[in-house]
Amino acid sequence: MAARGALAAAAASARRGKVPGIGRLSLRARVVAIAMALVAVALVVTQTVLLGVLDRYLTEQVDRELHQAARLLSIRPIEPNTTAPSTGEVPERRPRAPNGLPSRIVASYLTPDGSLVRQVRAPGAEDEAGPKLPVLDQAAVARLAREAFTTGAADDGSERYRVIAVPLADGTGTAVVAQSLHDVDAAVERMRNVCLGLGAGCLVVLAVAGWFAVRAGLRPLRRIEQTAAAIAAGDLSHRVPAGAAGTEIGRLSAALNGMLAQIETAFEARAQSEARMLRFVADAGHELRTPLSSVRGFAELHRLGGLRSPAEVDRMMRRIEDEAARMTGLVEDLLQLARLDEQRPLRRDAVDLRILAADALDDIRTLAPSRPVSLTGPDGRPAQPTEVSGDEPRLRQVVANLVSNALRHTPEGTAVDLTVGRLPDGTALLEVRDHGEGLSASDAKRVFERFYRVDSSRSRGSGGGSGLGLAIVAALVQAHDGTVTAGPGPDGGAAFRVVLPAGRP
């Protein structure tokens, strides 16, 4: 029962594709073991075929000798030897082998009903037991049709004999010739031993050579293993040595290096995102703390009775309202940035940038009539219709934020220029330029960061802004698959350049 249970467990493991113990072997040992198993199977099959061919070849040689002897004996039966010996004893009636009879032949003569008449042995077969003959009457001999067959020895059947039965030429019986296959079996057995020895030697030599060959072939995998260990230790810049192009190791190395590059990029992006998030949260808390502190201070001043006249109460309430409005705008900007970070899909309608710029131009003339404004194309001529595919409210916000930034950070009376049109590569251009103090190179690189201010000392309550307007512009332009840059204008001041893919939705 225990053996049956073990066999059942082994069969279940085989069905699951697991061989007991093989999972603990290394890949090198598995490859060598599988290769040696295949070689062993090939040697066994080759040896079996070779021994079968040899046995058949030698047996056919014996059959040819038996056919010659049978043809001879069927024509000239062996006569008894009646010559008296020189001692004068009674003559011995021993059959005498005819001339030309092969050695180790055992010849028998049978009556038509299969009874043995006499048996004679050729030289070399005197001590053999002879074949154990079946019933060989005339009908059985006719069925055999002079074909050779194999039978056992007459004593214990351990030795094989090859037998042919043919009818006598005079029709008085049957001649049966047989020859032992001892020499054939001995030759086949010797060849089997030689093949086993050579096969075992070949397996040993191939196993040793295969072990070192597989070890050399798996060296790139060991390098990959070392690279994986280095990466697991924290070295994301480590790479797998490139293998030969077109090989499995080469393709694996290229795929792993590509994957590692993406992982490293993802980790760097994640680290940068976490750093931006921490800075964003800190800046948001800092921005909200100021108006909240103001509101709390005004409320405590009122609770402690510090405001005695209605005019002071009204002034305090206006301050609280202003701070609440600042907090509302800040929270709305933060919510908009959060939605943009979620990459929600935007509407894709046909939007004419010239119309948006003309509306912004009208707003400037209404809110700041003292400022000179202009709207032209990239070549200085009047602006032409420039359609893009996008979300009109979001693109209006881009224009409004850029214009508001130009008005906020330049003195009264400073000119503002808007440019709209097509670039030579077919893209759409929207540019807002002022003629103020301009931007430094370091400010131009960071001006689109969240909560970044060019003048950090400027009071937040005197028009400095929260530092989110240009960040919203950058996020909206990126959502429209465009780019926005900042830099000095051609004749001084700052220029904000928005480039969007042109075309209809």
Side-chain angles (χ1 to χ4, degrees), residues 13-52:
S13 299
R15 287 193 299 271
R16 292 192 300 267
K18 298 179 180 179
V19 179
I22 198 171
R24 294 189 293 270
L25 296 177
S26 64
L27 178 60
R28 186 194 314 171
R30 293 185 193 181
V31 172
V32 173
I34 293 173
M36 291 304 100
L38 294 177
V39 172
V41 171
L43 289 176
V44 169
V45 173
T46 304
Q47 174 182 326
T48 302
V49 174
L50 177 62
L51 295 179

mmCIF file of all heavy atoms in Angstrom, residues 13-52:
data_model
loop_
_atom_site.group_PDB
_atom_site.id
_atom_site.type_symbol
_atom_site.label_atom_id
_atom_site.label_comp_id
_atom_site.label_asym_id
_atom_site.label_seq_id
_atom_site.Cartn_x
_atom_site.Cartn_y
_atom_site.Cartn_z
ATOM 1 N N SER A 13 2.424 14.338 -9.217
ATOM 2 C CA SER A 13 3.448 15.369 -9.457
ATOM 3 C C SER A 13 3.764 15.488 -10.931
ATOM 4 O O SER A 13 3.978 16.582 -11.451
ATOM 5 C CB SER A 13 4.721 15.048 -8.664
ATOM 6 O OG SER A 13 4.448 15.024 -7.277
ATOM 7 N N ALA A 14 3.811 14.356 -11.633
ATOM 8 C CA ALA A 14 4.090 14.387 -13.070
ATOM 9 C C ALA A 14 2.973 15.106 -13.821
ATOM 10 O O ALA A 14 3.219 15.854 -14.756
ATOM 11 C CB ALA A 14 4.276 12.974 -13.606
ATOM 12 N N ARG A 15 1.700 14.885 -13.380
ATOM 13 C CA ARG A 15 0.592 15.578 -14.033
ATOM 14 C C ARG A 15 0.653 17.075 -13.802
ATOM 15 O O ARG A 15 0.255 17.859 -14.643
ATOM 16 C CB ARG A 15 -0.739 15.021 -13.528
ATOM 17 C CG ARG A 15 -1.077 13.642 -14.061
ATOM 18 C CD ARG A 15 -2.534 13.302 -13.786
ATOM 19 N NE ARG A 15 -2.845 13.292 -12.359
ATOM 20 C CZ ARG A 15 -2.733 12.213 -11.581
ATOM 21 N NH1 ARG A 15 -2.316 11.059 -12.085
ATOM 22 N NH2 ARG A 15 -3.038 12.266 -10.301
ATOM 23 N N ARG A 16 1.145 17.480 -12.663
ATOM 24 C CA ARG A 16 1.295 18.904 -12.382
ATOM 25 C C ARG A 16 2.533 19.488 -13.024
ATOM 26 O O ARG A 16 2.810 20.675 -12.914
ATOM 27 C CB ARG A 16 1.363 19.151 -10.868
ATOM 28 C CG ARG A 16 0.061 18.866 -10.141
ATOM 29 C CD ARG A 16 0.119 19.410 -8.738
ATOM 30 N NE ARG A 16 1.192 18.817 -7.962
ATOM 31 C CZ ARG A 16 1.049 17.746 -7.185
ATOM 32 N NH1 ARG A 16 -0.130 17.141 -7.103
ATOM 33 N NH2 ARG A 16 2.073 17.270 -6.505
ATOM 34 N N GLY A 17 3.338 18.670 -13.717
ATOM 35 C CA GLY A 17 4.536 19.156 -14.381
ATOM 36 C C GLY A 17 5.713 19.288 -13.464
ATOM 37 O O GLY A 17 6.658 19.991 -13.771
ATOM 38 N N LYS A 18 5.683 18.618 -12.292
ATOM 39 C CA LYS A 18 6.786 18.710 -11.346
ATOM 40 C C LYS A 18 7.337 17.323 -11.083
ATOM 41 O O LYS A 18 6.585 16.418 -10.717
ATOM 42 C CB LYS A 18 6.317 19.325 -10.022
ATOM 43 C CG LYS A 18 5.791 20.750 -10.173
ATOM 44 C CD LYS A 18 5.319 21.273 -8.837
ATOM 45 C CE LYS A 18 4.785 22.702 -8.962
ATOM 46 N NZ LYS A 18 4.299 23.209 -7.670
ATOM 47 N N VAL A 19 8.618 17.148 -11.260
ATOM 48 C CA VAL A 19 9.289 15.898 -10.948
ATOM 49 C C VAL A 19 9.907 16.042 -9.572
ATOM 50 O O VAL A 19 10.611 17.026 -9.311
ATOM 51 C CB VAL A 19 10.370 15.565 -11.994
ATOM 52 C CG1 VAL A 19 11.074 14.265 -11.639
ATOM 53 C CG2 VAL A 19 9.734 15.466 -13.363
ATOM 54 N N PRO A 20 9.652 15.108 -8.615
ATOM 55 C CA PRO A 20 10.176 15.266 -7.271
ATOM 56 C C PRO A 20 11.682 15.408 -7.282
ATOM 57 O O PRO A 20 12.406 14.616 -7.857
ATOM 58 C CB PRO A 20 9.723 13.974 -6.574
ATOM 59 C CG PRO A 20 8.567 13.482 -7.369
ATOM 60 C CD PRO A 20 8.846 13.903 -8.772
ATOM 61 N N GLY A 21 12.190 16.461 -6.642
ATOM 62 C CA GLY A 21 13.623 16.667 -6.497
ATOM 63 C C GLY A 21 14.253 17.469 -7.606
ATOM 64 O O GLY A 21 15.306 18.077 -7.399
ATOM 65 N N ILE A 22 13.633 17.516 -8.786
ATOM 66 C CA ILE A 22 14.281 18.228 -9.892
ATOM 67 C C ILE A 22 14.212 19.733 -9.700
ATOM 68 O O ILE A 22 15.016 20.478 -10.235
ATOM 69 C CB ILE A 22 13.641 17.816 -11.242
ATOM 70 C CG1 ILE A 22 14.579 18.198 -12.391
ATOM 71 C CG2 ILE A 22 12.286 18.478 -11.425
ATOM 72 C CD1 ILE A 22 14.148 17.650 -13.709
ATOM 73 N N GLY A 23 13.229 20.200 -8.922
ATOM 74 C CA GLY A 23 13.134 21.628 -8.669
ATOM 75 C C GLY A 23 14.286 22.156 -7.841
ATOM 76 O O GLY A 23 14.540 23.362 -7.823
ATOM 77 N N ARG A 24 14.986 21.270 -7.114
ATOM 78 C CA ARG A 24 16.115 21.712 -6.302
ATOM 79 C C ARG A 24 17.418 21.744 -7.102
ATOM 80 O O ARG A 24 18.445 22.182 -6.578
ATOM 81 C CB ARG A 24 16.269 20.795 -5.093
ATOM 82 C CG ARG A 24 15.104 20.879 -4.108
ATOM 83 C CD ARG A 24 15.414 20.119 -2.845
ATOM 84 N NE ARG A 24 15.504 18.690 -3.076
ATOM 85 C CZ ARG A 24 14.468 17.864 -2.984
ATOM 86 N NH1 ARG A 24 13.264 18.340 -2.688
ATOM 87 N NH2 ARG A 24 14.613 16.570 -3.200
ATOM 88 N N LEU A 25 17.402 21.258 -8.331
ATOM 89 C CA LEU A 25 18.605 21.257 -9.156
ATOM 90 C C LEU A 25 18.794 22.615 -9.813
ATOM 91 O O LEU A 25 17.836 23.331 -10.094
ATOM 92 C CB LEU A 25 18.513 20.173 -10.233
ATOM 93 C CG LEU A 25 18.460 18.718 -9.753
ATOM 94 C CD1 LEU A 25 18.290 17.784 -10.934
ATOM 95 C CD2 LEU A 25 19.709 18.358 -8.965
ATOM 96 N N SER A 26 20.052 22.961 -10.058
ATOM 97 C CA SER A 26 20.348 24.195 -10.765
ATOM 98 C C SER A 26 20.020 24.031 -12.245
ATOM 99 O O SER A 26 19.848 22.908 -12.742
ATOM 100 C CB SER A 26 21.828 24.557 -10.601
ATOM 101 O OG SER A 26 22.642 23.561 -11.208
ATOM 102 N N LEU A 27 19.924 25.168 -12.927
ATOM 103 C CA LEU A 27 19.622 25.119 -14.362
ATOM 104 C C LEU A 27 20.713 24.380 -15.113
ATOM 105 O O LEU A 27 20.436 23.629 -16.055
ATOM 106 C CB LEU A 27 19.469 26.548 -14.899
ATOM 107 C CG LEU A 27 19.188 26.679 -16.401
ATOM 108 C CD1 LEU A 27 17.893 25.974 -16.765
ATOM 109 C CD2 LEU A 27 19.129 28.148 -16.795
ATOM 110 N N ARG A 28 21.979 24.574 -14.709
ATOM 111 C CA ARG A 28 23.081 23.878 -15.362
ATOM 112 C C ARG A 28 22.916 22.370 -15.221
ATOM 113 O O ARG A 28 23.065 21.620 -16.183
ATOM 114 C CB ARG A 28 24.399 24.333 -14.747
ATOM 115 C CG ARG A 28 25.632 23.791 -15.449
ATOM 116 C CD ARG A 28 26.875 24.005 -14.599
ATOM 117 N NE ARG A 28 26.930 25.353 -14.054
ATOM 118 C CZ ARG A 28 27.822 25.740 -13.146
ATOM 119 N NH1 ARG A 28 28.726 24.871 -12.711
ATOM 120 N NH2 ARG A 28 27.809 26.966 -12.685
ATOM 121 N N ALA A 29 22.602 21.917 -13.985
ATOM 122 C CA ALA A 29 22.434 20.479 -13.757
ATOM 123 C C ALA A 29 21.249 19.931 -14.544
ATOM 124 O O ALA A 29 21.302 18.825 -15.085
ATOM 125 C CB ALA A 29 22.260 20.212 -12.263
ATOM 126 N N ARG A 30 20.176 20.725 -14.635
ATOM 127 C CA ARG A 30 19.010 20.254 -15.394
ATOM 128 C C ARG A 30 19.349 20.097 -16.871
ATOM 129 O O ARG A 30 18.975 19.102 -17.502
ATOM 130 C CB ARG A 30 17.860 21.253 -15.237
ATOM 131 C CG ARG A 30 17.300 21.342 -13.828
ATOM 132 C CD ARG A 30 16.103 22.251 -13.813
ATOM 133 N NE ARG A 30 15.707 22.615 -12.464
ATOM 134 C CZ ARG A 30 14.672 23.388 -12.179
ATOM 135 N NH1 ARG A 30 13.945 23.891 -13.151
ATOM 136 N NH2 ARG A 30 14.379 23.680 -10.923
ATOM 137 N N VAL A 31 20.035 21.096 -17.437
ATOM 138 C CA VAL A 31 20.362 21.020 -18.862
ATOM 139 C C VAL A 31 21.259 19.822 -19.145
ATOM 140 O O VAL A 31 21.044 19.067 -20.105
ATOM 141 C CB VAL A 31 21.032 22.329 -19.314
ATOM 142 C CG1 VAL A 31 21.558 22.206 -20.732
ATOM 143 C CG2 VAL A 31 20.041 23.488 -19.226
ATOM 144 N N VAL A 32 22.282 19.635 -18.290
ATOM 145 C CA VAL A 32 23.190 18.504 -18.498
ATOM 146 C C VAL A 32 22.442 17.188 -18.322
ATOM 147 O O VAL A 32 22.643 16.233 -19.095
ATOM 148 C CB VAL A 32 24.382 18.599 -17.533
ATOM 149 C CG1 VAL A 32 25.247 17.353 -17.623
ATOM 150 C CG2 VAL A 32 25.220 19.827 -17.845
ATOM 151 N N ALA A 33 21.577 17.099 -17.298
ATOM 152 C CA ALA A 33 20.829 15.863 -17.068
ATOM 153 C C ALA A 33 19.914 15.542 -18.241
ATOM 154 O O ALA A 33 19.834 14.385 -18.693
ATOM 155 C CB ALA A 33 20.027 15.981 -15.775
ATOM 156 N N ILE A 34 19.227 16.547 -18.748
ATOM 157 C CA ILE A 34 18.332 16.317 -19.882
ATOM 158 C C ILE A 34 19.136 15.901 -21.113
ATOM 159 O O ILE A 34 18.759 14.980 -21.851
ATOM 160 C CB ILE A 34 17.496 17.574 -20.158
ATOM 161 C CG1 ILE A 34 16.525 17.832 -18.997
ATOM 162 C CG2 ILE A 34 16.733 17.450 -21.462
ATOM 163 C CD1 ILE A 34 15.784 19.130 -19.113
ATOM 164 N N ALA A 35 20.265 16.579 -21.346
ATOM 165 C CA ALA A 35 21.093 16.229 -22.500
ATOM 166 C C ALA A 35 21.621 14.802 -22.383
ATOM 167 O O ALA A 35 21.605 14.031 -23.362
ATOM 168 C CB ALA A 35 22.250 17.222 -22.630
ATOM 169 N N MET A 36 22.082 14.408 -21.180
ATOM 170 C CA MET A 36 22.583 13.047 -21.003
ATOM 171 C C MET A 36 21.463 12.018 -21.146
ATOM 172 O O MET A 36 21.683 10.918 -21.658
ATOM 173 C CB MET A 36 23.239 12.917 -19.627
ATOM 174 C CG MET A 36 24.543 13.713 -19.488
ATOM 175 S SD MET A 36 25.762 13.282 -20.759
ATOM 176 C CE MET A 36 25.552 14.646 -21.916
ATOM 177 N N ALA A 37 20.273 12.371 -20.682
ATOM 178 C CA ALA A 37 19.151 11.438 -20.857
ATOM 179 C C ALA A 37 18.844 11.235 -22.334
ATOM 180 O O ALA A 37 18.616 10.100 -22.789
ATOM 181 C CB ALA A 37 17.922 11.972 -20.121
ATOM 182 N N LEU A 38 18.866 12.308 -23.102
ATOM 183 C CA LEU A 38 18.624 12.179 -24.543
ATOM 184 C C LEU A 38 19.726 11.379 -25.222
ATOM 185 O O LEU A 38 19.458 10.542 -26.101
ATOM 186 C CB LEU A 38 18.515 13.569 -25.172
ATOM 187 C CG LEU A 38 17.313 14.417 -24.730
ATOM 188 C CD1 LEU A 38 17.378 15.795 -25.364
ATOM 189 C CD2 LEU A 38 16.011 13.725 -25.090
ATOM 190 N N VAL A 39 20.981 11.625 -24.823
ATOM 191 C CA VAL A 39 22.093 10.862 -25.409
ATOM 192 C C VAL A 39 21.966 9.387 -25.042
ATOM 193 O O VAL A 39 22.212 8.498 -25.876
ATOM 194 C CB VAL A 39 23.443 11.440 -24.934
ATOM 195 C CG1 VAL A 39 24.595 10.542 -25.376
ATOM 196 C CG2 VAL A 39 23.644 12.836 -25.498
ATOM 197 N N ALA A 40 21.595 9.103 -23.779
ATOM 198 C CA ALA A 40 21.435 7.712 -23.354
ATOM 199 C C ALA A 40 20.335 7.021 -24.151
ATOM 200 O O ALA A 40 20.486 5.864 -24.577
ATOM 201 C CB ALA A 40 21.133 7.663 -21.854
ATOM 202 N N VAL A 41 19.223 7.720 -24.366
ATOM 203 C CA VAL A 41 18.144 7.138 -25.171
ATOM 204 C C VAL A 41 18.627 6.873 -26.596
ATOM 205 O O VAL A 41 18.354 5.808 -27.181
ATOM 206 C CB VAL A 41 16.923 8.075 -25.166
ATOM 207 C CG1 VAL A 41 15.880 7.598 -26.168
ATOM 208 C CG2 VAL A 41 16.312 8.137 -23.775
ATOM 209 N N ALA A 42 19.371 7.821 -27.151
ATOM 210 C CA ALA A 42 19.898 7.631 -28.508
ATOM 211 C C ALA A 42 20.852 6.441 -28.570
ATOM 212 O O ALA A 42 20.813 5.641 -29.522
ATOM 213 C CB ALA A 42 20.599 8.916 -28.979
ATOM 214 N N LEU A 43 21.717 6.295 -27.541
ATOM 215 C CA LEU A 43 22.633 5.160 -27.528
ATOM 216 C C LEU A 43 21.895 3.839 -27.395
ATOM 217 O O LEU A 43 22.259 2.844 -28.045
ATOM 218 C CB LEU A 43 23.634 5.327 -26.372
ATOM 219 C CG LEU A 43 24.689 6.441 -26.543
ATOM 220 C CD1 LEU A 43 25.537 6.546 -25.287
ATOM 221 C CD2 LEU A 43 25.558 6.177 -27.759
ATOM 222 N N VAL A 44 20.885 3.794 -26.547
ATOM 223 C CA VAL A 44 20.128 2.553 -26.368
ATOM 224 C C VAL A 44 19.430 2.163 -27.669
ATOM 225 O O VAL A 44 19.446 0.989 -28.080
ATOM 226 C CB VAL A 44 19.117 2.723 -25.220
ATOM 227 C CG1 VAL A 44 18.135 1.546 -25.193
ATOM 228 C CG2 VAL A 44 19.846 2.815 -23.890
ATOM 229 N N VAL A 45 18.801 3.161 -28.317
ATOM 230 C CA VAL A 45 18.121 2.855 -29.585
ATOM 231 C C VAL A 45 19.127 2.394 -30.632
ATOM 232 O O VAL A 45 18.898 1.407 -31.346
ATOM 233 C CB VAL A 45 17.348 4.100 -30.060
ATOM 234 C CG1 VAL A 45 16.781 3.879 -31.460
ATOM 235 C CG2 VAL A 45 16.228 4.440 -29.090
ATOM 236 N N THR A 46 20.267 3.087 -30.716
ATOM 237 C CA THR A 46 21.292 2.698 -31.690
ATOM 238 C C THR A 46 21.825 1.300 -31.406
ATOM 239 O O THR A 46 22.009 0.484 -32.324
ATOM 240 C CB THR A 46 22.439 3.720 -31.671
ATOM 241 O OG1 THR A 46 21.913 5.017 -31.925
ATOM 242 C CG2 THR A 46 23.481 3.380 -32.713
ATOM 243 N N GLN A 47 22.080 1.026 -30.121
ATOM 244 C CA GLN A 47 22.585 -0.297 -29.758
ATOM 245 C C GLN A 47 21.572 -1.383 -30.072
ATOM 246 O O GLN A 47 21.929 -2.445 -30.589
ATOM 247 C CB GLN A 47 22.924 -0.308 -28.268
ATOM 248 C CG GLN A 47 23.329 -1.680 -27.749
ATOM 249 C CD GLN A 47 23.615 -1.644 -26.256
ATOM 250 O OE1 GLN A 47 24.101 -0.666 -25.743
ATOM 251 N NE2 GLN A 47 23.301 -2.730 -25.579
ATOM 252 N N THR A 48 20.319 -1.128 -29.792
ATOM 253 C CA THR A 48 19.279 -2.121 -30.068
ATOM 254 C C THR A 48 19.191 -2.418 -31.559
ATOM 255 O O THR A 48 19.123 -3.584 -31.991
ATOM 256 C CB THR A 48 17.932 -1.620 -29.544
ATOM 257 O OG1 THR A 48 18.038 -1.350 -28.143
ATOM 258 C CG2 THR A 48 16.844 -2.657 -29.775
ATOM 259 N N VAL A 49 19.201 -1.353 -32.367
ATOM 260 C CA VAL A 49 19.137 -1.553 -33.820
ATOM 261 C C VAL A 49 20.383 -2.269 -34.314
ATOM 262 O O VAL A 49 20.310 -3.202 -35.141
ATOM 263 C CB VAL A 49 18.958 -0.196 -34.520
ATOM 264 C CG1 VAL A 49 19.042 -0.355 -36.038
ATOM 265 C CG2 VAL A 49 17.627 0.434 -34.127
ATOM 266 N N LEU A 50 21.562 -1.881 -33.821
ATOM 267 C CA LEU A 50 22.815 -2.489 -34.264
ATOM 268 C C LEU A 50 22.866 -3.974 -33.907
ATOM 269 O O LEU A 50 23.229 -4.814 -34.747
ATOM 270 C CB LEU A 50 23.992 -1.744 -33.629
ATOM 271 C CG LEU A 50 25.387 -2.299 -33.923
ATOM 272 C CD1 LEU A 50 25.671 -2.240 -35.420
ATOM 273 C CD2 LEU A 50 26.450 -1.541 -33.139
ATOM 274 N N LEU A 51 22.487 -4.303 -32.681
ATOM 275 C CA LEU A 51 22.506 -5.715 -32.278
ATOM 276 C C LEU A 51 21.482 -6.522 -33.051
ATOM 277 O O LEU A 51 21.727 -7.687 -33.398
ATOM 278 C CB LEU A 51 22.254 -5.817 -30.776
ATOM 279 C CG LEU A 51 23.337 -5.211 -29.870
ATOM 280 C CD1 LEU A 51 22.955 -5.346 -28.411
ATOM 281 C CD2 LEU A 51 24.688 -5.870 -30.126
ATOM 282 N N GLY A 52 20.339 -5.920 -33.327
ATOM 283 C CA GLY A 52 19.340 -6.627 -34.119
ATOM 284 C C GLY A 52 19.839 -6.910 -35.533
ATOM 285 O O GLY A 52 19.644 -8.003 -36.075
#
